[in-house]
Amino acid sequence: TLKMKDLTEYQDILSRIFRTVTTEDDGLVRYSPEFDQPRIRSLIRQCFSPLRDFKVDEEVIPQEADLLKIDSFTPEITVSDPEKYYPEQEAVSYIHKWDENPQLELDPKVIAAYELLKSQGLQVPEASEIKDPHPERLQTYHYIPYRFDSSLEMEYFSRSILPIIHSKNLEIYFNGDDRLTEFKIRCYHHDGSHWNYIGMYVPDFLLIRRKENAIHKVIIIETKGKGYAPAFAHRRKFMEEDFVKRNNERFGYSRFSFLYLEDTLTREEREKQTLSAINNFFNE
């Protein structure tokens, strides 16, 4: 888009450049192979281009999400892979009954007898636990049963996290089914002053504590097999370095924490890290 009248103002300088980057042989003028001719022409054009400056603005948009999308929820009547579901069908039936009629079958005389034993200093279970075969129902299962994608998720939920929070004022929910949850996190990679979108992340578990019946604090828990860890590296970095930090700054307190657990750890090591995270974040 350069015009000749713009160039002729600098004819002397351009002529000197031309003589430098060319050779003359028998009256023929040729471009010298010692110079990067396209690069030189590009630099000359840039001398006539207007200077530009860029200002980058970042915008944080508040969003809300439901852990269960009721509009897309369709109960499965038969399943082809029951080993991936927890709890088993018999337990699901018990839990439904107790949700509808808690302590329905408890005899008041039995409750009175247990209270008498407790008043005498004897260690006895709570009366509400005598008949209830699944007391964990009060701390989990926003839908039931959960369908897990891996044996690691199943083991962590059933054998690790449920026993850990049994006596704590905490709730644990499986969030890993992207068909049923709205709690999904858009992840970005920070490159200089730019944010590049790298994909959606659906966390495995949400460990929460309520305050005045509202969710107050959340540990986002991710369990990952070693083979999938490299593909998750950028998302993990975003969660640990950006998501938690920026959201906590916006809320004005430590609302979120992130716990990453690999199958390279033993079950005991995963439980130790989980308990440490709970103690540090919830001040247990």
Side-chain angles (χ1 to χ4, degrees):
T1 59
L2 274 175
K3 298 183 176 9
M4 284 300 301
K5 67 181 184 62
D6 297 324
L7 289 171
T8 53
E9 296 182 20
Y10 302 92
Q11 184 168 344
D12 291 342
I13 297 175
L14 292 171
S15 294
R16 289 201 301 271
I17 295 174
F18 181 75
R19 290 194 295 270
T20 302
V21 301
T22 58
T23 60
E24 187 175 352
D25 185 19
D26 294 332
L28 295 177
V29 180
R30 298 182 178 87
Y31 286 115
S32 172
E34 297 179 10
F35 298 93
D36 185 347
Q37 302 293 341
R39 175 63 175 159
I40 292 172
R41 289 193 287 274
S42 174
L43 291 173
I44 292 173
R45 288 194 297 272
Q46 290 178 41
C47 292
F48 291 87
S49 299
L51 294 177
R52 292 180 174 87
D53 189 21
F54 294 92
K55 180 182 179 182
V56 179
D57 292 325
E58 292 183 5
E59 183 179 10
V60 178
I61 303 175
Q63 288 186 316
E64 295 183 357
D66 292 324
L67 297 188
L68 184 59
K69 295 192 297 185
I70 301 298
D71 58 344
S72 65
F73 186 76
T74 54
E76 297 185 29
I77 306 303
T78 59
V79 297
S80 59
D81 48 358
E83 70 281 354
K84 293 185 177 181
Y85 286 81
Y86 187 89
E88 296 179 351
Q89 185 58 46
E90 183 179 357
V92 170
S93 299
Y94 272 114
I95 290 170
H96 278 309
K97 290 178 181 178
W98 275 80
D99 283 345
E100 295 172 358
N101 299 291
Q103 302 182 18
L104 181 64
E105 300 177 6
L106 285 181
D107 188 329
K109 293 181 180 179
V110 174
I111 297 177
Y114 271 90
E115 293 300 324
L116 177 62
L117 292 173
K118 288 172 61 178
S119 68
Q120 295 177 354
L122 297 178
Q123 296 293 325
V124 295
E126 294 294 328
S128 61
E129 296 180 2
I130 301 304
K131 293 281 186 177
D132 191 344
H134 296 280
E136 79 279 3
R137 67 188 174 84
L138 302 176
Q139 294 175 282
T140 187
Y141 304 134
H142 55 318
Y143 67 92
I144 191 170
Y146 289 150
R147 184 190 185 282
F148 294 107
D149 294 325
S150 68
S151 58
L152 175 60
E153 292 174 347
M154 171 87 78
E155 179 185 89
Y156 180 74
F157 178 77
S158 62
R159 300 182 63 186
S160 295
I161 192 67
L162 285 181
I164 286 175
I165 69 168
H166 171 69
S167 59
K168 301 181 184 298
N169 185 27
L170 299 172
E171 301 167 36
I172 182 72
Y173 298 105
F174 177 63
N175 185 70
D177 193 331
D178 60 0
R179 302 168 300 171
L180 300 179
T181 184
E182 287 184 343
F183 190 82
K184 303 175 184 180
I185 299 171
R186 293 176 62 89
C187 295
Y188 296 84
H189 176 64
H190 199 194
D191 182 14
S193 60
H194 300 284
W195 289 94
N196 299 316
Y197 176 63
I198 57 176
M200 195 71 73
Y201 163 48
V202 183
D204 287 338
F205 299 98
L206 301 177
L207 179 62
I208 72 171
R209 167 167 287 171
R210 298 182 188 270
K211 184 177 182 181
E212 298 177 354
N213 207 34
I215 294 176
H216 180 59
K217 304 187 77 172
V218 183
I219 297 181
I220 299 171
I221 302 176
E222 181 66 23
T223 58
K224 190 67 66 179
K226 181 182 179 181
Y228 298 97
F232 187 71
H234 284 305
R235 288 174 173 81
R236 178 184 178 184
K237 184 174 185 293
F238 173 76
M239 291 299 300
E240 292 176 340
E241 298 182 6
D242 294 294
F243 178 87
V244 169
K245 177 177 178 291
R246 288 171 176 266
N247 276 278
N248 288 348
E249 288 174 351
R250 290 280 172 168
F251 281 99
Y253 72 97
S254 295
R255 182 178 177 88
F256 290 99
S257 181
F258 180 69
L259 177 61
Y260 177 80
L261 301 168
E262 272 192 19
D263 63 357
T264 52
L265 301 172
T266 64
R267 181 159 66 92
E268 290 74 18
E269 290 171 333
R270 289 194 294 271
E271 291 174 356
K272 183 177 180 180
Q273 290 190 19
T274 301
L275 188 58
S276 177
I278 290 174
N279 292 338
N280 292 332
F281 186 64
F282 295 116
N283 298 318
E284 287 286 343

